[in-house]
């Protein structure tokens, strides 16, 4: 009788063993997941259960305080060897060994197995396509381009699910009308081949959002003009009767740049070297940096009306040098510049004589060296503002140092 009493005391007060049931323990699918991920597999279908019932055996005083957060239920992936449906046995163990040390046994009661479907896993990288169709733009402005950061997104998941994704789209929603470049966040959408939003079950994304920059340009129609070079000093460019096949050009660009423009120039026309009556000329339209043409035009044709013009050839004996450096002397050896061709209004050309013309050497733009040199001259007509010379002319000079 004494022995029985002692056993009861030890059992009840010193080492009281027993069991309890803990419900709604979630399944941790990540435990030992490398068993299947190392095979290039991922879970694509798993049971929709809220939790598992686990029987816990051990010191009754201790286990009575346990909750579902102190236990982990996990599948055994030992039988997974390839894609397909697999029945996995559920196991359980105590994870909170700090509060619940000692010998505690966990047994999964219901359900004790689950059916899981595995599939091959792969990666696909897609460019981010910006959808700005719903963005309102202010009158007189246009959406020039859109860029997204990140510019591309890598998806990882079951191959069968990745094959359903055709594009990644960043739809932009803005309430106010835009008149300047702006950057806004956008939530990314996966879309299938017909453009419908596709919601994946198992695909993971590097990022589910992007910063989208909307580059907004101001639109203007500006006149085209020609810059004439190679003209005599004081020449009246307005006296040239010329036309361009296109008088204006529709362009767009950043408002701070394009708002300051009054006109657009075509490539320079060298009157002295290029002009020939009866010809027309292709000129490139030179757009400032950041400005784009909306008309698709990159060059225009320049044409001169020479119906009221006359021409003549004269020999010029009035040759002079200007801007001669103080450490040099320049002696002009040529006495004549022969056959200078001149154009201008017919009535002025008739009255023109060689004494009104100067062949000028400008030493400021020359690299003088001691000895004889052939030097280019420019033809000046001081008494006339509507006459110009064509062609290239040179004289022979002797340069000495002082």
């Amino acid at each position: 009788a004494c022995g029985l009493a002692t056993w009861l005391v030890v059992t009840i007060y010193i080492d009281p063993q027993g069991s309890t049931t803990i419900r709604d323990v979630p399944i941790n699918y990540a435990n030992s997941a490398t068993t299947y991920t190392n095979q290039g597999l991922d879970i694509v279908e798993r049971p929709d259960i809220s939790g598992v019932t686990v029987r816990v055996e051990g010191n009754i005083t201790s286990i009575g305080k346990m909750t579902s957060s102190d236990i982990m239920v996990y599948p055994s992936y030992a039988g997974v060897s390839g894609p397909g449906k697999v029945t996995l046995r559920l196991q359980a163990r105590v994870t909170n060994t700090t509060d619940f040390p000692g010998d505690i046994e966990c047994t999964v009661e219901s359900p004790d197995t689950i059916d899981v479907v595995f599939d091959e896993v792969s990666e696909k990288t897609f460019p981010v396509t910006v959808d700005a169709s719903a963005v309102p733009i202010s009158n007189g402005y246009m959406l020039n381009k859109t860029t997204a950061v990140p510019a591309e997104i890598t998806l990882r998941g079951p191959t069968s699910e990745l094959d359903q994704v055709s594009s990644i789209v960043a739809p932009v929603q803005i309430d106010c009308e835009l008149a300047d470049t702006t950057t806004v966040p956008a939530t990314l959408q996966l879309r299938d081949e017909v453009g419908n939003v596709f919601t994946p079950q198992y695909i993971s994304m590097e990022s589910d959002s992007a910063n989208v920059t909307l580059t907004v340009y101001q639109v203007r129609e500006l006149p085209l003009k020609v810059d004439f070079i190679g003209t005599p000093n004081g020449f009246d460019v307005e006296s040239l009767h010329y036309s361009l096949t296109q008088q204006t050009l529709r362009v767009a660009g950043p408002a701070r740049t394009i708002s300051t423009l009054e006109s657009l120039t075509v490539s320079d026309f060298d009157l002295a070297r290029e002009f020939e009556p009866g010809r027309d000329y292709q000129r490139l339209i030179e757009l400032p940096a950041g400005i784009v043409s909306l008309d698709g035009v990159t060059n225009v044709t320049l044409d001169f009306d020479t119906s009221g013009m006359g021409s003549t050839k004269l020999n010029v004996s009035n040759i002079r040098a200007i801007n001669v450096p103080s450490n040099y002397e320049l002696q002009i050896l040529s006495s004549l510049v022969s056959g200078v061709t001149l154009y201008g209004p017919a009535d002025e050309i008739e009255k023109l004589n060689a004494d009104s013309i100067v062949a000028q050497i400008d030493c400021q733009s020359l690299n003088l060296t001691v000895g004889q040199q052939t030097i280019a001259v420019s033809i000046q007509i001081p008494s006339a503002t509507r006459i110009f010379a064509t062609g290239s002319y040179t004289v022979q000079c002797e340069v000495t140092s002082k």
Side-chain angles (χ1 to χ4, degrees):
C2 181
L4 177 61
T6 302
W7 179 82
L8 288 173
V9 169
V10 170
T11 302
I12 297 171
Y13 296 103
I14 300 174
D15 186 19
Q17 296 293 304
S19 66
T20 186
T21 299
I22 298 178
R23 304 181 188 280
D24 299 325
V25 182
I27 301 173
N28 185 331
Y29 290 92
N31 185 64
S32 300
T34 53
T35 306
Y36 62 82
T37 57
N38 287 344
Q39 301 178 54
L41 301 174
D42 203 354
I43 295 173
V44 297
E45 189 176 319
R46 56 193 183 187
D48 182 19
I49 56 176
S50 58
V52 176
T53 301
V54 178
R55 187 176 77 253
V56 180
E57 296 178 81
N59 183 293
I60 193 65
T61 305
S62 177
I63 65 175
K65 301 173 184 176
M66 270 190 175
T67 66
S68 60
S69 62
D70 300 316
I71 300 172
M72 180 174 68
V73 171
Y74 55 95
S76 171
Y77 297 117
V80 179
S81 59
K85 187 175 182 179
V86 183
T87 299
L88 304 178
R89 182 163 297 282
L90 294 178
Q91 299 174 317
R93 61 182 172 86
V94 176
T95 53
N96 184 2
T97 56
T98 303
D99 294 332
F100 304 100
D103 186 16
I104 298 174
E105 185 178 343
C106 298
T107 305
V108 176
E109 287 193 329
S110 175
D112 59 349
T113 63
I114 54 172
D115 290 334
V116 173
V117 179
F118 293 88
D119 197 358
E120 292 181 350
V121 172
S122 56
E123 289 186 349
K124 262 189 178 181
T125 300
F126 294 86
V128 175
T129 303
V130 176
D131 179 5
S133 57
V135 175
I137 306 297
S138 295
N139 188 37
Y141 293 80
M142 61 169 283
L143 181 61
N144 180 58
K145 66 176 180 178
T146 60
T147 53
V149 177
E152 59 182 25
I153 293 289
T154 298
L155 306 181
R156 177 179 170 81
T159 304
S160 58
E161 194 172 49
L162 283 178
D163 288 343
Q164 299 179 64
V165 180
S166 181
S167 62
I168 297 179
V169 178
V172 181
Q173 296 287 339
I174 294 179
D175 294 332
C176 59
E177 290 188 344
L178 290 185
D180 200 1
T181 297
T182 188
T183 300
V184 294
T187 301
L188 298 177
Q189 295 178 346
L190 306 186
R191 296 191 183 178
D192 61 21
E193 60 182 7
V194 295
N196 294 326
V197 176
F198 173 70
T199 304
Q201 285 184 283
Y202 305 109
I203 289 175
S204 61
M205 302 174 64
E206 283 181 317
S207 173
D208 60 1
S209 64
N211 286 324
V212 175
T213 299
L214 306 165
T215 303
V216 176
Y217 278 0
Q218 185 178 2
V219 177
R220 292 189 67 194
E221 185 168 356
L222 294 170
L224 295 173
K225 72 169 189 173
V226 183
D227 280 344
F228 291 97
I229 62 174
T231 59
N233 295 333
F235 180 75
D236 179 15
V237 173
E238 299 297 325
S239 66
L240 295 171
H241 300 291
Y242 69 91
S243 62
L244 296 170
T245 49
Q246 186 153 328
Q247 301 300 315
T248 62
L249 188 71
R250 286 178 66 250
V251 291
R256 63 183 178 276
T257 302
I258 203 168
S259 62
T260 62
L261 299 177
E262 295 181 358
S263 61
L264 300 169
T265 60
V266 302
S267 51
D268 293 343
F269 186 86
D270 192 329
L271 206 58
R273 295 179 183 274
E274 295 186 76
F275 179 82
E276 291 179 28
R279 267 195 62 191
D280 53 26
Y281 309 85
Q282 292 295 311
R283 314 312 288 180
L284 183 69
I285 299 172
E286 298 180 332
L287 297 177
I291 305 300
V292 295
S293 168
L294 300 181
D295 294 334
V297 177
T298 57
N299 56 65
V300 292
T301 301
L302 170 65
D303 180 63
F304 291 92
D305 178 6
T306 58
S307 57
M309 293 182 74
S311 67
T312 187
K313 281 192 177 184
L314 297 172
N315 297 326
V316 178
S317 59
N318 188 3
I319 307 169
R320 68 183 183 191
I322 62 172
N323 298 317
V324 180
S326 58
N327 56 334
Y328 287 106
E329 284 188 356
L330 187 143
Q331 181 185 2
I332 299 169
L333 303 179
S334 302
S335 59
L336 205 65
V337 178
S338 303
V340 176
T341 303
L342 298 117
Y343 288 92
D347 57 339
E348 293 187 33
I349 289 292
E350 284 181 15
K351 300 173 186 176
L352 188 65
N353 60 66
D355 294 338
S356 305
I357 304 168
V358 176
Q360 183 173 278
I361 301 167
D362 188 351
C363 296
Q364 192 168 21
S365 59
L366 300 177
N367 183 21
L368 293 178
T369 57
V370 172
Q372 286 199 13
Q373 280 184 259
T374 301
I375 298 177
V377 296
S378 64
I379 305 301
Q380 305 293 327
I381 309 99
S383 61
T385 60
R386 300 194 295 171
I387 296 174
F388 62 94
T390 62
S392 300
Y393 306 97
T394 60
V395 292
Q396 201 67 21
C397 299
E398 176 84 31
V399 179
T400 56
S401 60
K402 287 184 179 180

